[in-house]
Amino acid sequence: MRPSAASSFLPAVLLLLLGAAAPGLSQPDPGSGWIDLTAGGLEEGWRQLGGAAEYSLEDGVVVGTAVIETPNSFLATKEEYGDFALQLEFKIDEGLNAGVQIRSHSDPEYRNGTVHGYQVEIDPSERAWSAGVYDEARRGWLYPLAANPAASEAFRQGGWNHLYIEAIGLEIRTWLNNVPATFLIDEMTPKGFIALQVHSVGPDGGGRQVRYRNVLLRTEGLTPSGRRFPYIVDTRPNRLSEAEAALGWRLLFDGESTEAWRGAHREDFPGTGWEVRDGELTVHASEPGKPRGGGIVTREAFSAFELQLEFRMTEGANSGIKYLVTEGYDSAPGSAIAFEYQILDDFRHPDAQSGRDGNRTLASLYDLLPATKTGRFVKGPGRYNHARIVVHADGRVEHWLNHVPVLMFDRESAELDEAIALSKFAGREGFGKWPEGRILLQDHGDEVAFRSIKVRRLDDAE
């Protein structure tokens, strides 16, 4: 069991949802529709792809043994599956990584046959992201388990763990030891093989093992076992799933309408500077001699809330997402002074080197507190990043980038007061103490596109 840094920051309503109904995970009776995928041995219905890790079947247990100087290895079903429920037990040595591929492929035209597709992670590291969903050799992490510490803590180090996976339509759900882990909605791959992975290892990793037993599959009589999960990732642009709506989420931008927005310090939406095109709400780069559109704000004000959206930067871009905006606090046309989730090309914009300790870099609280992030969870210009901002009623605030927490602070803390005193906001009476405000997408003169803008109020949930 490992505590997570994110656990104390989850809204209370999300923690309550961890008690959602889980599927029956006991050994199924014969005739129940479950099929033992290893009953015929490993030569019947299976093939090995990728690296040269060793696989054997010992007393009904698939044993995968890591071999050095070989890439990721996969024991894959010869048959492909679309909708299914899969359950198995696994036990893994410390220092090894593994996973269960679902709806996956190995095509000669894709990176010379590299296995790619959804992987349900097996992760015995301190991070403990077992049952999270990774897109092997393709998009990377789709659902890291950082947003669900209860599932991380369900992992049993050194013992057998039960993994339950449902793939029905566009929805992929997982449970780890009866704890709801992930709920992913994605439409990239509807069908593919199932595979048991042994990850590549360094010079000291040879001989480490992962074991799989009771690998059971069902393809008929499928119904979702539970729709209320602590965190839902829907990768479809500008879509709101029924499951999200049930949790109070709604769209602030559906790919077409700007009805929820107006210009800062004005009642209408800017006639220049912003454009809706191809499902994106885009602020254009400013041109010499032409007026900018200015920032846009939500028509509604929010106090405790959760916001998520995707943004795509151009090279060298600078922009931001401001929140708890009070327009009367700063009368500058088209702008506002408020907390800001920084959007910045850290490698090309000089502002990344300004401020203090990196507090003007991507996902930081602009000019106040720096975000702590690793490169693999940052997508550069031209690619979409996912931003999440959570403002709790008790003063706690969270910044997330691509479903990983990068900054958490308390609005009432001495740390924030000190940061304000050392910032460009020093001397502004009442800065950061507003009880509520609007959300603002900034026009900083650079092109940035936004989509899938969703919000939900937390006022009544906490």
Side-chain angles (χ1 to χ4, degrees):
M1 301 286 189
R2 303 177 179 84
S4 166
S7 59
S8 61
F9 288 87
L10 280 177
V13 66
L14 300 191
L15 295 176
L16 290 173
L17 292 177
L18 292 175
L25 302 181
S26 59
Q27 182 74 18
D29 296 327
S32 62
W34 291 94
I35 300 170
D36 185 344
L37 291 179
T38 65
L42 300 187
E43 294 183 0
E44 182 179 333
W46 297 85
R47 56 177 176 155
Q48 185 164 345
L49 301 170
E54 299 173 357
Y55 289 91
S56 62
L57 188 63
E58 303 174 10
D59 297 325
V61 178
V62 178
V63 180
T65 303
V67 174
I68 62 173
E69 298 182 352
T70 192
N72 294 347
S73 304
F74 304 89
L75 183 65
T77 60
K78 295 178 182 177
E79 187 171 346
E80 294 188 348
Y81 302 95
D83 288 3
F84 61 85
L86 175 71
Q87 62 173 315
L88 57 83
E89 294 174 287
F90 68 87
K91 183 164 65 171
I92 188 169
D93 292 345
E94 285 193 64
L96 185 61
N97 183 276
V100 179
Q101 295 290 139
I102 61 171
R103 293 179 173 178
S104 295
H105 293 271
S106 174
D107 304 320
E109 60 271 19
Y110 184 86
R111 295 173 54 176
N112 296 319
T114 296
V115 170
H116 56 283
Y118 307 111
Q119 179 186 128
V120 180
E121 181 82 356
I122 295 176
D123 177 16
S125 73
E126 189 67 24
R127 181 181 66 181
W129 283 358
S130 293
V133 180
Y134 182 81
D135 198 4
E136 176 77 13
R138 203 161 52 177
R139 292 171 292 174
W141 279 103
L142 299 177
Y143 196 128
L145 220 59
N148 190 350
S152 289
E153 293 166 11
F155 176 75
R156 299 167 186 160
Q157 183 66 61
W160 286 100
N161 292 268
H162 194 287
L163 183 62
Y164 190 99
I165 304 167
E166 287 183 350
I168 303 175
L170 303 181
E171 299 176 352
I172 296 172
R173 290 182 289 278
T174 71
W175 286 257
L176 180 65
N177 295 322
N178 284 347
V179 176
T182 63
F183 189 159
L184 171 69
I185 304 173
D186 188 80
E187 56 188 358
M188 180 169 280
T189 310
K191 185 178 182 180
F193 59 68
I194 294 167
L196 308 178
Q197 186 206 44
V198 177
H199 202 279
S200 61
V201 294
D204 298 329
R208 290 176 180 158
Q209 295 182 326
V210 57
R211 296 168 174 82
Y212 302 93
R213 71 183 185 189
N214 298 323
V215 184
L216 305 170
L217 181 77
R218 189 177 70 193
T219 58
E220 297 180 356
L222 301 172
T223 56
S225 298
R227 300 187 64 84
R228 296 178 68 83
F229 274 62
Y231 188 65
I232 299 169
V233 175
D234 188 344
T235 64
R236 301 172 301 167
N238 303 315
R239 297 287 297 276
L240 186 72
S241 67
E242 292 182 7
E244 289 173 296
L247 293 175
W249 288 98
R250 55 194 173 89
L251 288 169
L252 288 176
F253 177 64
D254 61 3
E256 298 179 359
S257 173
T258 60
E259 189 174 315
W261 302 85
R262 61 172 174 80
H265 303 283
R266 55 191 290 177
E267 291 302 317
D268 59 345
F269 192 84
T272 60
W274 291 84
E275 180 183 15
V276 175
R277 183 179 61 191
D278 298 329
E280 298 176 334
L281 179 57
T282 301
V283 56
H284 291 301
S286 58
E287 298 181 32
K290 291 188 178 181
R292 285 158 49 180
I296 58 173
V297 298
T298 54
R299 294 188 179 275
E300 292 181 67
F302 301 88
S303 52
F305 67 93
E306 185 172 0
L307 171 76
Q308 57 176 310
L309 57 78
E310 291 182 301
F311 63 90
R312 180 175 55 79
M313 300 178 287
T314 50
E315 286 194 5
N318 182 350
S319 187
I321 307 162
K322 296 186 180 184
Y323 53 100
L324 299 175
V325 170
T326 304
E327 291 163 285
Y329 191 77
D330 177 26
S331 59
S335 183
I337 299 297
F339 286 148
E340 179 181 343
Y341 179 112
Q342 174 78 312
I343 294 176
L344 195 79
D345 180 353
D346 288 346
F347 295 100
R348 298 174 180 84
H349 197 286
D351 219 26
Q353 308 303 319
S354 302
R356 295 182 304 108
D357 303 322
N359 65 3
R360 294 188 180 183
T361 60
L362 177 64
S364 295
L365 181 64
Y366 173 71
D367 208 49
L368 294 171
L369 299 173
T372 301
K373 54 191 182 290
T374 57
R376 73 175 302 184
F377 290 102
V378 178
K379 300 175 183 177
R383 301 178 64 194
Y384 267 102
N385 287 272
H386 184 277
R388 179 185 177 208
I389 300 169
V390 188
V391 177
H392 297 273
D394 62 5
R396 293 173 296 128
V397 180
E398 310 169 32
H399 285 193
W400 294 64
L401 179 64
N402 295 320
H403 310 292
V404 175
V406 294
L407 173 62
M408 299 182 179
F409 66 95
D410 191 329
R411 294 176 62 194
E412 306 300 325
S413 68
E415 176 193 25
L416 182 62
D417 289 342
E418 180 181 355
I420 292 173
L422 295 172
S423 75
K424 64 189 294 184
F425 308 115
R428 293 181 179 269
E429 185 178 357
F431 179 85
K433 305 301 182 183
W434 319 284
E436 68 172 15
R438 305 180 193 279
I439 298 163
L440 179 146
L441 302 182
Q442 189 181 41
D443 178 357
H444 204 283
D446 297 316
E447 182 175 317
V448 178
F450 301 90
R451 71 182 186 187
S452 300
I453 308 173
K454 304 175 185 181
V455 70
R456 68 173 182 166
R457 294 184 180 275
L458 300 180
D459 312 56
D460 300 327
E462 301 186 318

